[in-house]
Amino acid sequence: MEYSDRARVFLTAHGMEPERFPLRDATAAFIGEMELGLAGQKSSLDMIPTWLSAGTIEPGRRAAVIDAGGTNFRAGSVLFTEEGAVIERCERSAMPGTSGSATWDEFEDFAAAQIAPMLEGAEGIGFCFSYRATITPERDGEVIRMSKGVDLRGYEGRYICADLKAALARRGAPDVPAVLVNDTAAVLLAGAGDVRAHGYDGLVGLICGTGQNTCCVVDTGKIGKLGLPAGGNMLVNLESGCFDGWPQGDYDRELDANTNNPRDHLLEKMTSGAYLGELCRLTLRGAARDGLFSPAGADTALGLATLTSAEADAMACGAPGPFADEADAALAGELCLAIFDRAARCVCANLSAILVLTDCGADAAHPACVSADGSVIRFSRAFRGNLEARLADFTAGVLGRHCVIRTQEEATTLGSAAAALLNLK
């Protein structure tokens, strides 16, 4: 990416230039952390085994789905057809605990009431639970911590699917197997139909929206901490937003210090929609303090109380934003573009590391499928354009690994249904 000398000198002086870590080195560092996490050694990547497998689903099968997210709770029914997965019913409501405190038992009773009408003809329930949980070999999960502003009490040590089935039994509902899945694994499995239809070589799940995470399919023999034989496949949740192996710049550190989880989720703070706007705002303020703007432009930059990721993305793509002077607007756009370009490089290295470790996408005629969801990957022009350029010139051009990014509506719902049918107990 070409930047003016003024922008490049400023970015380099503050450690914010997109090229600060070469993609080959960044990818190698990521692979190293993945290997440590799979071996059960100290790593910034948890590499959480999900006990879920990938595969294809025969037409005519049906699953019920619960999607317990940060704000919304959804219950639905999904039918797999010759043309793909179809959402037959979907009911949305507020997630318990978002508008006042609720108990864990109240949450599970609510979930049972919402899913019970969806169970007719369903072979299983896919329960997408977007909070930290320890996954068990039975494909259930023990809650570690609630987050995202959801106030549930009494969840400690509770098992999500077991408690749901108990609540359903109290209602006299059918005894249907339930499988726990997190949102990134669900997004990966939403691409299962694409693999069959287009002949893709493997699946990768990517969330890049408010948060950032990836999921991949790993040969069980590579998951050393489980001690399983080779030859099987298991979805592994990287928790990649926690990766800490790349250097931070001045404004990364300033942003991090003002969060409620300093020194945690460092990659997420460089790449996700929750932080990109603020990172751009801090960078613009730094440029104003360093004298890069006109006096009026400096006042504008220093006066920015907030800047959303969508607003920063628009500036990166040529919108003047709040700057009246053309030169100030152009400089602000360059600086915002650099932040989005760097985020794209980070995600490119993340995806490249997965393709190398899992040995996918070596044939350009049969690329890997990156099943993706989230506001940044779907709607940010500055990010998406740069990511696809990096995947073409580095991942394909240098590493010889090929992939395509595919997004679809209701990915977590469709993927949760696939998880249930592919992993019936």
Side-chain angles (χ1 to χ4, degrees):
M1 188 67 62
E2 293 295 327
Y3 298 100
S4 65
D5 289 343
R6 187 167 51 156
R8 184 167 297 284
V9 168
F10 165 76
L11 290 166
T12 303
H14 292 278
M16 300 295 293
E17 74 277 21
E19 304 82 3
R20 184 176 182 190
F21 37 90
L23 281 170
R24 188 183 289 277
D25 295 343
T27 301
F30 206 97
I31 292 172
E33 288 291 285
M34 290 177 71
E35 291 174 335
L36 289 172
L38 288 171
Q41 300 179 35
K42 182 176 175 57
S43 172
S44 61
L45 295 176
D46 289 339
M47 303 300 291
I48 300 170
T50 67
W51 300 95
L52 298 173
S53 298
T56 58
I57 300 169
E58 302 81 9
R61 301 182 69 188
R62 178 180 283 108
V65 173
I66 291 172
D67 183 0
T71 303
N72 297 312
F73 180 101
R74 293 183 291 183
S77 173
V78 175
L79 174 67
F80 287 82
T81 72
E82 291 285 357
E83 291 73 36
V86 177
I87 299 175
E88 297 178 302
R89 297 178 62 186
C90 186
E91 299 292 336
R92 292 173 171 81
S93 51
M95 176 71 182
T98 54
S99 59
S101 181
T103 68
W104 178 256
D105 288 334
E106 287 171 340
F107 165 70
E108 289 285 21
D109 285 340
F110 173 85
Q114 296 299 305
I115 200 64
M118 312 292 180
L119 293 180
E120 184 176 355
E123 298 178 48
I125 300 169
F127 197 142
C128 184
F129 190 73
S130 300
Y131 307 89
R132 290 189 66 190
T134 300
I135 309 301
T136 72
E138 297 76 27
R139 302 182 182 98
D140 200 347
E142 181 180 2
V143 184
I144 297 173
R145 184 172 68 247
M146 300 301 297
S147 58
K148 306 178 185 180
V150 173
D151 184 7
L152 291 183
R153 294 176 284 107
Y155 62 79
E156 294 82 1
R158 302 295 290 269
Y159 286 87
I160 300 151
C161 292
D163 285 352
L164 173 68
K165 293 186 68 175
L168 285 168
R170 290 193 294 271
R171 302 180 68 86
D175 183 13
V176 178
V179 172
L180 191 73
V181 59
N182 91 322
D183 53 357
T184 315
V187 167
L188 181 152
L189 288 169
D194 289 330
V195 171
R196 182 179 63 182
H198 302 285
Y200 292 132
D201 178 30
L203 269 173
V204 178
L206 168 66
I207 295 283
C208 197
T210 303
Q212 194 275 346
N213 194 15
T214 44
C215 182
C216 63
V217 183
V218 178
D219 186 291
T220 49
K222 290 186 176 181
I223 311 175
K225 58 189 174 184
L226 296 184
L228 298 175
N233 76 72
M234 186 182 294
L235 274 64
V236 173
N237 169 22
L238 277 66
E239 289 295 331
S240 54
C242 297
F243 180 75
D244 63 5
W246 297 329
Q248 291 185 295
D250 290 347
Y251 306 115
D252 296 308
R253 287 187 286 271
E254 183 178 352
L255 181 149
D256 181 54
N258 291 319
T259 62
N260 60 6
N261 58 342
R263 299 300 304 163
D264 188 18
H265 284 74
L266 296 186
L267 177 59
E268 185 167 279
K269 291 170 183 173
M270 299 168 74
T271 58
S272 75
Y275 301 104
L276 284 170
E278 176 64 6
L279 200 53
C280 287
R281 185 185 78 90
L282 295 175
T283 302
L284 295 176
R285 287 169 58 88
R289 290 191 292 268
D290 282 10
L292 272 68
F293 291 112
S294 70
D299 287 343
T300 298
L302 292 170
L304 286 173
T306 61
L307 185 67
T308 68
S309 292
E311 291 167 342
D313 180 62
M315 292 168 63
C317 294
F323 294 91
D325 179 78
E326 185 175 336
D328 287 336
L331 176 62
E334 282 189 280
L335 298 179
C336 290
L337 182 59
I339 299 301
F340 280 86
D341 183 14
R342 191 186 66 162
R345 287 171 178 267
C346 291
V347 174
C348 174
N350 181 172
L351 295 175
S352 299
I354 289 173
L355 296 177
V356 171
L357 185 80
T358 59
D359 193 23
C360 290
D363 182 357
H366 298 283
C369 175
V370 178
S371 181
D373 200 12
S375 57
V376 175
I377 187 65
R378 295 188 67 185
F379 304 121
S380 168
R381 289 185 295 154
F383 175 84
R384 180 70 175 263
N386 274 297
L387 175 60
E388 292 185 334
R390 303 304 167 209
L391 290 171
D393 60 33
F394 172 72
T395 311
V398 176
L399 298 181
R401 300 288 171 170
H402 307 269
C403 65
V404 296
I405 297 173
R406 293 182 65 87
T407 61
Q408 58 184 309
E409 298 293 332
E410 307 288 358
T412 54
T413 299
L414 299 176
S416 298
L421 297 179
L422 291 168
N423 297 274
L424 291 175
K425 297 192 287 287

